[in-house]
Amino acid sequence: MDRVLANLPRVANENVLVGFDTSDDAGVYRLTPECALVQTVDFFTPIVDDPFTFGAIAAANSLSDVYAMGGKPISALSIVAYPAKGDLDDLEAILRGGSEKMREAGCVVLGGHSVNDEEIKFGYAVTGIVHPERVKTNAGARESDALVFTKRIGTGVVGTALKRGIARDEDVRDAVDSMLLLNRRACESMLARDVSACTDVTGFGLLGHAREMAVASGVTLEIDADAVRTLPGALEYARRGAIAGGLRNNREFVSGCVEMTRELPQELDALLYDPQTSGGLLIALPERDAVELVKDYAEAYRIGRVLPRDGARIRIV
């Protein structure tokens, strides 16, 4: 996709504050000097068996991009791919789960579009608002900033373990609870600080999204692998080979930008590339603000720091 996008013409428009140039989480278009639109879209196939929970997770995941930009979601349009002969009760449960999560976020579902497809897919196009001068992008990380993350990683591995029938119920519940948790509170806490850059960690994994921030900001991100928190059971399932295809793709794409200063356990190395669903916010901010953020938001924790551009985009210590 990077190669394809690089060949597309850029449209010059002074109101486009964030486009696709830096692989940011959402686009931002200025309407007035005090208001800009944040726009994003995301959808995927079921990752849990319960249709209501799947719909809610899809909604939380779609909302996350708006929060990553420092925005407030206000409206959404659903995207549904569902078999014509599928169970309508399940479809209703998917839509209801998504609608309730949107309502929790204070975001109104205005409608949507559906197509007949044998493979179920669901998600939303979400619109948010943000002050043009308060937009958070992945391109502003500064030398000496601290790196703070707001969720544990491992949803991809736990989901794969579930499909293979080796995941414990309590581990699945913990992963589901993490995916259902909106990044709204993390965004609110972030906006109270002098944040330099932010991105949410989803399908490209922690290192994939860290790479995007490093490239966009022209810096090197140093990440302490031992500081990164993992979901219960995730290390064990990775050790047992519950590796999704997306993890392998992420490693193939990102590993060339990563400098390993020591050998990591194979399962921990895998989780750093694990594709996340409705993952946390990766935030770069000054040291003093990082201390305050970690105190204010219980899920937040330090995972590294920002260095001047020096060889590799990401350095694992």
Side-chain angles (χ1 to χ4, degrees):
M1 185 59 73
D2 280 349
R3 187 167 64 249
V4 172
L5 291 177
N7 294 323
L8 295 181
R10 268 54 173 176
V11 178
N13 188 312
E14 64 180 9
N15 291 315
V16 176
L17 305 182
V18 180
F20 57 80
D21 306 67
T22 56
S23 302
D24 224 315
D25 298 298
V28 181
Y29 185 90
R30 179 173 52 210
L31 292 177
T32 72
E34 287 77 36
C35 183
L37 291 181
V38 184
Q39 295 184 294
T40 183
V41 59
D42 209 327
F43 61 98
F44 48 74
T45 57
I47 56 172
V48 292
D49 294 331
D50 180 66
F52 180 91
T53 304
F54 166 52
I57 291 172
N61 185 76
S62 299
L63 289 161
S64 185
D65 285 341
V66 175
Y67 293 130
M69 307 299 291
K72 176 185 177 181
I74 57 172
S75 67
L77 297 171
S78 62
I79 301 167
V80 183
Y82 202 78
K85 297 181 179 180
D87 189 316
L88 294 184
D89 289 338
D90 285 348
L91 176 58
E92 179 183 344
I94 291 171
L95 293 171
R96 185 158 41 86
S99 179
E100 292 196 11
K101 184 57 66 173
M102 286 291 177
R103 184 160 52 248
E104 178 187 339
C107 185
V108 179
V109 179
L110 300 177
H113 185 70
S114 61
V115 295
N116 177 16
D117 193 334
E118 290 305 308
E119 184 176 39
I120 297 171
K121 307 176 189 70
F122 181 65
Y124 290 92
V126 183
T127 296
I129 54 174
V130 66
H131 193 287
E133 296 179 2
R134 299 195 72 192
V135 178
K136 305 304 177 185
T137 74
N138 64 4
R142 299 170 295 201
E143 178 185 346
S144 78
D145 276 348
L147 290 175
V148 172
F149 192 45
T150 65
K151 286 191 181 183
R152 296 173 180 263
I153 61 172
T155 60
V157 163
V158 175
T160 302
L162 173 63
K163 292 177 182 178
R164 295 186 181 181
I166 63 173
R168 292 179 291 271
D169 290 344
E170 58 269 28
D171 295 338
V172 175
R173 284 195 296 270
D174 285 335
V176 168
D177 287 345
S178 177
M179 290 185 285
L180 287 173
L181 178 64
L182 292 175
N183 281 324
R184 179 176 59 184
R185 176 71 180 86
C187 175
E188 291 169 351
S189 184
M190 170 183 75
L191 290 177
R193 274 88 205 174
D194 180 25
V195 169
S196 309
C198 180
T199 186
D200 70 331
V201 174
T202 50
F204 291 140
L206 177 59
L207 294 191
H209 289 280
R211 172 197 172 274
E212 290 180 339
M213 180 181 287
V215 170
S217 302
V219 296
T220 293
L221 301 189
E222 182 180 86
I223 295 176
D224 180 355
D226 292 332
V228 178
R229 299 175 185 174
T230 61
L231 287 166
L235 287 168
E236 175 191 339
Y237 302 138
R239 194 179 306 119
R240 295 173 65 181
I243 303 300
L247 189 155
R248 297 185 179 92
N249 293 339
N250 288 345
R251 178 185 278 125
E252 180 179 351
F253 177 67
V254 179
S255 60
C257 303
V258 178
E259 175 190 348
M260 306 295 294
T261 65
R262 61 188 176 94
E263 185 175 354
L264 298 181
Q266 184 176 356
E267 59 272 19
L268 177 55
D269 180 83
L271 284 177
L272 295 177
Y273 296 97
D274 186 45
Q276 303 302 286
T277 299
S278 188
L281 301 183
L282 177 62
I283 305 166
L285 70 174
E287 175 67 29
R288 65 183 182 280
D289 293 286
V291 172
E292 293 178 1
L293 177 58
V294 170
K295 287 182 179 179
D296 179 60
Y297 186 63
E299 302 297 324
Y301 60 99
R302 296 277 297 273
I303 66 167
R305 58 179 179 155
V306 180
L307 303 176
R309 176 77 170 94
D310 181 21
R313 293 295 187 180
I314 303 170
R315 180 171 299 137
I316 303 298
V317 298

